[in-house]
């Protein structure tokens, strides 16, 4: 669910209600992003650290978390004001990112990360989000 911050781009959405473990994960990601942003500035990149950290958008973390737990699509749409199509496309893009990380884990020889990404991909790949559609295929 936390990796959805890499694929969700809409800025004007309702604030998610996160579990304590998700809040800690968000804080960890923001801390790492801040360190990366500082390193980028030291290396000559002109993007301010704050802008880099703000580029991670956690607006769909709750929605993806509930989706992965098996909550029906009709119920997860009530958790946010984000349009249904954006939710579907974001979860599909998240699956693509999970596959990319899984492939990277295989290349670097990290079977634990490979297994986690494979499991996460399997969990979110269900129902209407991955139904064949002329619009998304």
């Amino acid at each position: 669910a936390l990796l959805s911050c890499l694929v969700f781009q809409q800025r004007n959405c309702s604030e998610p209600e996160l579990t304590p473990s998700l809040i800690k994960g968000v804080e960890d990601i923001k801390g790492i992003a801040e360190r990366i942003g500082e390193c980028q500035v030291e290396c000559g990149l002109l993007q301010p650290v704050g802008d880099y950290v703000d580029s991670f958008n956690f607006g769909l973390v709750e929605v993806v978390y509930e989706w992965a737990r098996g909550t029906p699509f009709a119920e997860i749409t009530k958790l946010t004001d984000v349009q249904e199509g954006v939710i579907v496309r974001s979860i599909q893009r998240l699956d693509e990112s999970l596959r990319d990380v899984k492939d990277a884990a295989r290349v670097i020889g990290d079977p634990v990360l490979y297994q986690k990404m494979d499991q996460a991909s399997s969990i979110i790949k269900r129902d209407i989000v991955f139904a064949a559609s002329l619009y998304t295929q």
Side-chain angles (χ1 to χ4, degrees):
L2 290 168
L3 287 178
S4 68
C5 71
L6 301 174
V7 297
F8 180 57
Q9 297 173 342
Q10 185 173 323
R11 288 284 162 205
N12 55 345
C13 64
S14 58
E15 193 67 29
E17 294 180 26
L18 304 177
T19 66
S21 61
L22 289 176
I23 291 170
K24 183 185 178 327
V26 167
E27 291 169 356
D28 289 348
I29 290 172
K30 286 182 178 179
I32 293 167
E34 194 170 309
R35 290 198 317 261
I36 291 170
E38 290 167 357
C39 183
Q40 289 177 336
V41 169
E42 290 171 11
C43 293
L45 193 66
L46 300 176
Q47 182 181 25
V49 175
D51 288 355
Y52 180 72
V53 173
D54 290 342
S55 70
F56 295 88
N57 188 350
F58 297 93
L60 274 190
V61 171
E62 177 188 19
V63 170
V64 174
Y65 177 73
E66 291 300 328
W67 178 252
R69 292 182 62 210
T71 305
F73 191 78
E75 288 183 33
I76 67 166
T77 59
K78 296 174 186 173
L79 299 173
T80 184
D81 57 358
V82 175
Q83 294 177 341
E84 291 86 352
V86 174
I87 294 171
V88 167
R89 186 66 191 130
S90 295
I91 294 174
Q92 290 173 340
R93 288 183 65 208
L94 174 61
D95 183 59
E96 293 167 12
S97 296
L98 291 170
R99 282 185 278 147
D100 290 342
V101 173
K102 184 173 80 169
D103 290 344
R106 181 182 41 78
V107 169
I108 64 170
D110 188 339
V112 174
L113 180 60
Y114 180 91
Q115 191 86 15
K116 285 180 182 180
M117 295 302 108
D118 189 47
Q119 183 181 12
S121 178
S122 298
I123 289 171
I124 65 169
K125 225 175 188 174
R126 63 181 181 85
D127 289 344
I128 194 163
V129 172
F130 287 92
S133 168
L134 294 175
Y135 296 110
T136 61
Q137 300 298 323

Short mmCIF file of all heavy atoms in Angstrom, two decimals, residues 1 17-19 22 60-73 75-77 79 91 123-124 126:
data_model
loop_
_atom_site.label_atom_id
_atom_site.label_comp_id
_atom_site.label_asym_id
_atom_site.label_seq_id
_atom_site.Cartn_x
_atom_site.Cartn_y
_atom_site.Cartn_z
N ALA A 1 0.83 -1.20 0.00
CA ALA A 1 0.00 0.00 0.00
C ALA A 1 0.87 1.26 0.00
O ALA A 1 0.54 2.24 -0.66
CB ALA A 1 -0.94 0.00 1.20
N GLU A 17 -7.17 7.95 6.33
CA GLU A 17 -7.07 7.56 7.74
C GLU A 17 -6.20 6.32 7.80
O GLU A 17 -6.61 5.24 7.38
CB GLU A 17 -8.47 7.27 8.30
CG GLU A 17 -9.36 8.49 8.37
CD GLU A 17 -10.73 8.16 8.94
OE1 GLU A 17 -10.84 7.18 9.71
OE2 GLU A 17 -11.68 8.88 8.61
N LEU A 18 -4.98 6.48 8.33
CA LEU A 18 -4.00 5.40 8.29
C LEU A 18 -3.86 4.71 9.63
O LEU A 18 -4.02 5.32 10.68
CB LEU A 18 -2.64 5.96 7.86
CG LEU A 18 -2.61 6.70 6.52
CD1 LEU A 18 -1.23 7.26 6.26
CD2 LEU A 18 -3.05 5.79 5.39
N THR A 19 -3.50 3.43 9.57
CA THR A 19 -3.20 2.67 10.78
C THR A 19 -1.84 3.14 11.31
O THR A 19 -1.06 3.73 10.56
CB THR A 19 -3.13 1.16 10.47
OG1 THR A 19 -2.02 0.93 9.60
CG2 THR A 19 -4.41 0.65 9.83
N LEU A 22 1.01 2.06 9.10
CA LEU A 22 1.08 2.80 7.84
C LEU A 22 1.63 4.20 8.08
O LEU A 22 2.41 4.71 7.26
CB LEU A 22 -0.29 2.87 7.17
CG LEU A 22 -0.81 1.57 6.57
CD1 LEU A 22 -2.22 1.75 6.01
CD2 LEU A 22 0.12 1.04 5.48
N LEU A 60 -3.66 7.66 -1.61
CA LEU A 60 -4.39 6.40 -1.85
C LEU A 60 -3.90 5.25 -0.99
O LEU A 60 -4.31 4.10 -1.19
CB LEU A 60 -4.27 5.98 -3.33
CG LEU A 60 -5.28 6.56 -4.30
CD1 LEU A 60 -5.18 5.88 -5.66
CD2 LEU A 60 -6.70 6.48 -3.79
N VAL A 61 -3.03 5.51 -0.03
CA VAL A 61 -2.49 4.43 0.80
C VAL A 61 -3.60 3.66 1.51
O VAL A 61 -3.62 2.42 1.49
CB VAL A 61 -1.44 4.97 1.81
CG1 VAL A 61 -1.05 3.90 2.80
CG2 VAL A 61 -0.22 5.48 1.07
N GLU A 62 -4.54 4.36 2.11
CA GLU A 62 -5.63 3.69 2.81
C GLU A 62 -6.46 2.85 1.85
O GLU A 62 -6.82 1.71 2.15
CB GLU A 62 -6.52 4.73 3.51
CG GLU A 62 -7.72 4.11 4.20
CD GLU A 62 -8.71 5.13 4.74
OE1 GLU A 62 -8.69 6.30 4.30
OE2 GLU A 62 -9.52 4.75 5.60
N VAL A 63 -6.76 3.41 0.69
CA VAL A 63 -7.58 2.71 -0.31
C VAL A 63 -6.89 1.43 -0.77
O VAL A 63 -7.49 0.35 -0.80
CB VAL A 63 -7.86 3.64 -1.51
CG1 VAL A 63 -8.49 2.88 -2.67
CG2 VAL A 63 -8.76 4.80 -1.08
N VAL A 64 -5.60 1.52 -1.09
CA VAL A 64 -4.86 0.34 -1.55
C VAL A 64 -4.72 -0.68 -0.42
O VAL A 64 -4.83 -1.89 -0.64
CB VAL A 64 -3.48 0.75 -2.12
CG1 VAL A 64 -2.65 -0.48 -2.46
CG2 VAL A 64 -3.65 1.63 -3.34
N TYR A 65 -4.50 -0.20 0.79
CA TYR A 65 -4.40 -1.10 1.94
C TYR A 65 -5.68 -1.90 2.11
O TYR A 65 -5.66 -3.12 2.27
CB TYR A 65 -4.09 -0.29 3.20
CG TYR A 65 -4.04 -1.09 4.47
CD1 TYR A 65 -2.97 -1.93 4.74
CD2 TYR A 65 -5.06 -1.00 5.42
CE1 TYR A 65 -2.91 -2.68 5.91
CE2 TYR A 65 -5.01 -1.73 6.59
CZ TYR A 65 -3.93 -2.57 6.83
OH TYR A 65 -3.88 -3.30 7.98
N GLU A 66 -6.82 -1.22 2.05
CA GLU A 66 -8.11 -1.90 2.19
C GLU A 66 -8.37 -2.83 1.02
O GLU A 66 -8.93 -3.92 1.19
CB GLU A 66 -9.24 -0.89 2.36
CG GLU A 66 -9.21 -0.14 3.68
CD GLU A 66 -9.33 -1.06 4.89
OE1 GLU A 66 -9.99 -2.11 4.80
OE2 GLU A 66 -8.74 -0.71 5.94
N TRP A 67 -7.96 -2.42 -0.19
CA TRP A 67 -8.13 -3.28 -1.36
C TRP A 67 -7.33 -4.57 -1.18
O TRP A 67 -7.82 -5.66 -1.45
CB TRP A 67 -7.68 -2.54 -2.62
CG TRP A 67 -7.78 -3.37 -3.86
CD1 TRP A 67 -6.75 -3.90 -4.57
CD2 TRP A 67 -8.97 -3.77 -4.53
NE1 TRP A 67 -7.22 -4.60 -5.65
CE2 TRP A 67 -8.59 -4.54 -5.65
CE3 TRP A 67 -10.33 -3.55 -4.30
CZ2 TRP A 67 -9.51 -5.10 -6.53
CZ3 TRP A 67 -11.25 -4.11 -5.18
CH2 TRP A 67 -10.84 -4.87 -6.27
N ALA A 68 -6.10 -4.44 -0.68
CA ALA A 68 -5.25 -5.62 -0.47
C ALA A 68 -5.81 -6.52 0.63
O ALA A 68 -5.58 -7.73 0.61
CB ALA A 68 -3.83 -5.17 -0.10
N ARG A 69 -6.57 -5.95 1.55
CA ARG A 69 -7.19 -6.75 2.61
C ARG A 69 -8.46 -7.45 2.15
O ARG A 69 -9.05 -8.22 2.89
CB ARG A 69 -7.53 -5.85 3.81
CG ARG A 69 -6.29 -5.32 4.52
CD ARG A 69 -6.64 -4.48 5.71
NE ARG A 69 -7.35 -5.31 6.67
CZ ARG A 69 -8.27 -4.85 7.52
NH1 ARG A 69 -8.59 -3.59 7.53
NH2 ARG A 69 -8.86 -5.66 8.36
N GLY A 70 -8.90 -7.17 0.92
CA GLY A 70 -10.06 -7.85 0.37
C GLY A 70 -11.35 -7.06 0.41
O GLY A 70 -12.42 -7.60 0.12
N THR A 71 -11.29 -5.80 0.78
CA THR A 71 -12.48 -4.96 0.82
C THR A 71 -13.04 -4.79 -0.59
O THR A 71 -12.28 -4.54 -1.53
CB THR A 71 -12.14 -3.58 1.42
OG1 THR A 71 -11.53 -3.77 2.70
CG2 THR A 71 -13.37 -2.71 1.57
N PRO A 72 -14.36 -4.90 -0.76
CA PRO A 72 -14.96 -4.73 -2.10
C PRO A 72 -14.72 -3.32 -2.65
O PRO A 72 -14.60 -2.35 -1.91
CB PRO A 72 -16.46 -4.94 -1.85
CG PRO A 72 -16.54 -5.72 -0.58
CD PRO A 72 -15.36 -5.29 0.24
N PHE A 73 -14.66 -3.25 -3.98
CA PHE A 73 -14.38 -1.98 -4.65
C PHE A 73 -15.39 -0.91 -4.29
O PHE A 73 -15.03 0.25 -4.08
CB PHE A 73 -14.33 -2.17 -6.17
CG PHE A 73 -13.80 -0.98 -6.90
CD1 PHE A 73 -12.44 -0.74 -6.93
CD2 PHE A 73 -14.66 -0.10 -7.54
CE1 PHE A 73 -11.94 0.37 -7.60
CE2 PHE A 73 -14.17 1.00 -8.21
CZ PHE A 73 -12.81 1.24 -8.24
N GLU A 75 -16.84 -0.40 -1.58
CA GLU A 75 -16.56 0.15 -0.26
C GLU A 75 -15.29 1.01 -0.25
O GLU A 75 -15.24 2.02 0.45
CB GLU A 75 -16.43 -0.98 0.77
CG GLU A 75 -17.76 -1.63 1.10
CD GLU A 75 -17.62 -2.70 2.16
OE1 GLU A 75 -16.77 -2.56 3.06
OE2 GLU A 75 -18.38 -3.68 2.08
N ILE A 76 -14.27 0.63 -1.02
CA ILE A 76 -13.05 1.45 -0.99
C ILE A 76 -13.26 2.80 -1.68
O ILE A 76 -12.58 3.76 -1.34
CB ILE A 76 -11.81 0.73 -1.58
CG1 ILE A 76 -11.95 0.49 -3.06
CG2 ILE A 76 -11.50 -0.54 -0.82
CD1 ILE A 76 -10.64 0.11 -3.74
N THR A 77 -14.22 2.86 -2.59
CA THR A 77 -14.49 4.15 -3.24
C THR A 77 -15.08 5.16 -2.25
O THR A 77 -14.98 6.36 -2.47
CB THR A 77 -15.43 4.00 -4.44
OG1 THR A 77 -16.66 3.43 -4.00
CG2 THR A 77 -14.80 3.14 -5.52
N LEU A 79 -13.94 5.58 0.73
CA LEU A 79 -12.87 6.02 1.62
C LEU A 79 -12.19 7.29 1.13
O LEU A 79 -11.42 7.90 1.87
CB LEU A 79 -11.81 4.91 1.76
CG LEU A 79 -12.27 3.59 2.34
CD1 LEU A 79 -11.15 2.56 2.25
CD2 LEU A 79 -12.73 3.77 3.78
N ILE A 91 -4.01 1.44 -9.05
CA ILE A 91 -3.74 0.07 -8.58
C ILE A 91 -3.08 -0.74 -9.70
O ILE A 91 -2.16 -1.53 -9.45
CB ILE A 91 -5.02 -0.61 -8.05
CG1 ILE A 91 -5.49 0.11 -6.77
CG2 ILE A 91 -4.78 -2.09 -7.77
CD1 ILE A 91 -6.83 -0.38 -6.23
N ILE A 123 -2.02 -10.31 -4.27
CA ILE A 123 -3.09 -9.84 -3.39
C ILE A 123 -3.93 -8.74 -4.04
O ILE A 123 -5.16 -8.73 -3.91
CB ILE A 123 -2.51 -9.34 -2.05
CG1 ILE A 123 -2.01 -10.53 -1.23
CG2 ILE A 123 -3.53 -8.55 -1.25
CD1 ILE A 123 -1.22 -10.12 0.01
N ILE A 124 -3.29 -7.82 -4.77
CA ILE A 124 -4.06 -6.70 -5.34
C ILE A 124 -4.67 -7.03 -6.69
O ILE A 124 -5.53 -6.31 -7.18
CB ILE A 124 -3.22 -5.41 -5.46
CG1 ILE A 124 -2.07 -5.57 -6.45
CG2 ILE A 124 -2.75 -4.95 -4.10
CD1 ILE A 124 -1.39 -4.27 -6.81
N ARG A 126 -7.14 -8.54 -8.46
CA ARG A 126 -8.43 -9.21 -8.34
C ARG A 126 -9.57 -8.30 -8.80
O ARG A 126 -9.40 -7.10 -8.95
CB ARG A 126 -8.68 -9.65 -6.89
CG ARG A 126 -8.78 -8.50 -5.91
CD ARG A 126 -9.01 -9.00 -4.49
NE ARG A 126 -9.13 -7.88 -3.58
CZ ARG A 126 -10.25 -7.22 -3.33
NH1 ARG A 126 -11.38 -7.58 -3.91
NH2 ARG A 126 -10.27 -6.20 -2.48
#
